[in-house]
Amino acid sequence: NAGVTQTPKFQVLKTGQSMTLQCAQDMNHEYMSWYRQDPGMGLRLIHYSVGAGITDQGEVPNGYNVSRSTTEDFPLRLLSAAPSQTSVYFCASSYDLNSPLHFGNGTRLTVT
Amino acid sequence: QQPVQSPQAVILREGEDAVINCSSSKALYSVHWYRQKHGEAPVFLMILLKGGEQKGHEKISASFNEKKQQSSLYLTASQLSYSGTYFCGTEGGLTGGGNKLTFGTGTQLKVEL
C-alpha cells in the first residue's frame, strides 16, 4: 500500500492563480481531511469528508474548495491564491472516527 | 478553541523521562498524540477515547482525564529518536464527529547524548 499520496510536493503560485492539490489514499478509508500547518500555529483543519459525496468545512475553509467523488480521492482547490495561503498542506485519512490519522507527506505552497 | 500544550519545549539527556500535557477548555470525546520530525509528516502515537479505550504503540503511554479535559503523554527512558515536535489533537462532543481534530501548537522535544 502506498498510503496517502499528495502531489505536488512543492508549488509556487502568483497571487490570483488557482490550483488543485491532489490527495489519494489506497487504504479504503472513509474519513479524509485537509490541514494546513504554519509556524507556531500547529495544524488547522480546512475541510473534511466522512465519505464519498459528503464534505464539510473545518476551522479555516475560506479560499478553499473540496469535493469527494470517490472514496480514494480528496482534492483541495485554491480558487484565487493569496500570500496568506503560503503554508504546508497535509492530507490525512482514517478508517473511522476512532482510528489514527494517516498523513501524506505534505505539499509546500508558496504564494508570491 | 485550540488545546494548550505544556511545556512548549524540553531538552532531555538520553535515558531521562518526560511528560507532555494537553489541556482543553471544552468537553472531549478523544485525544490523539502525534510526533513530527522536521520536514516530515506527523506520525501517530496514541489515541485516547472517552470511556477509557486507548490505542497506540506499546512503548508509549498516556492518560486522559475526562473530567479535567486533560491528557498527558509519558515518554520514558528517552532515546535520540524521540526528538521531534509532539502534537495533541482533540475532538469534542459526546460521540465525536469524523476525526475533526483541533491541534495544539506543539511541544518541541530534543534528546541529547
Side-chain angles (χ1 to χ4, degrees):
Chain A
N1 287 348
V4 179
T5 302
Q6 289 185 238
T7 56
K9 291 184 179 180
F10 301 94
Q11 183 71 48
V12 179
L13 291 178
K14 293 185 177 181
T15 297
Q17 288 183 318
S18 62
M19 79 159 294
T20 299
L21 278 62
Q22 301 292 344
C23 175
Q25 53 90 11
D26 61 358
M27 298 174 283
N28 203 32
H29 286 174
E30 289 294 328
Y31 293 74
M32 296 187 74
S33 50
W34 277 101
Y35 290 86
R36 60 177 290 175
Q37 185 172 35
D38 303 295
M41 301 285 289
L43 295 139
R44 292 183 292 168
L45 181 64
I46 305 172
H47 285 284
Y48 69 96
S49 170
V50 298
I54 306 170
T55 65
D56 205 345
Q57 297 180 350
E59 181 186 353
V60 288
N62 292 340
Y64 308 94
N65 273 355
V66 292
S67 60
R68 183 98 181 270
S69 56
T70 66
T71 300
E72 294 78 21
D73 300 301
F74 191 42
L76 178 72
R77 297 182 189 83
L78 278 70
L79 308 174
S80 177
S84 62
Q85 293 178 306
T86 293
S87 188
V88 180
Y89 291 84
F90 286 101
C91 178
S93 72
S94 65
Y95 179 72
D96 60 27
L97 62 86
N98 294 333
S99 298
L101 297 185
H102 296 257
F103 285 89
N105 287 328
T107 294
R108 185 174 295 274
L109 175 69
T110 301
V111 183
T112 62
Chain B
Q1 281 189 336
Q2 236 175 352
V4 176
Q5 288 186 231
S6 62
Q8 289 187 326
V10 59
I11 299 175
L12 301 174
R13 290 196 181 275
E14 197 173 28
E16 291 182 336
D17 302 338
V19 180
I20 300 173
N21 301 302
C22 176
S23 180
S24 175
S25 60
K26 63 180 183 180
L28 297 177
Y29 171 76
S30 66
V31 180
H32 292 223
W33 286 96
Y34 294 85
R35 177 172 61 216
Q36 184 179 32
K37 294 184 181 287
H38 184 69
E40 299 181 4
V43 173
F44 167 73
L45 297 175
M46 178 73 73
I47 289 179
L48 303 103
L49 300 171
K50 185 180 176 71
E53 184 179 359
Q54 296 187 5
K55 303 178 185 180
H57 295 285
E58 292 179 358
K59 295 185 178 180
I60 300 287
S61 64
S63 65
F64 180 19
N65 187 322
E66 295 175 34
K67 288 186 178 179
K68 291 187 176 180
Q69 297 146 197
Q70 294 175 346
S71 177
S72 295
L73 184 71
Y74 304 97
L75 302 172
T76 57
S78 59
Q79 305 171 16
L80 294 176
S81 61
Y82 286 12
S83 295
T85 302
Y86 289 76
F87 292 98
C88 70
T90 62
E91 183 159 34
L94 294 175
T95 59
N99 257 350
K100 307 183 306 293
L101 301 184
T102 302
F103 284 90
T105 55
T107 295
Q108 295 183 24
L109 186 142
K110 183 176 182 181
V111 181
E112 298 177 336
L113 287 172

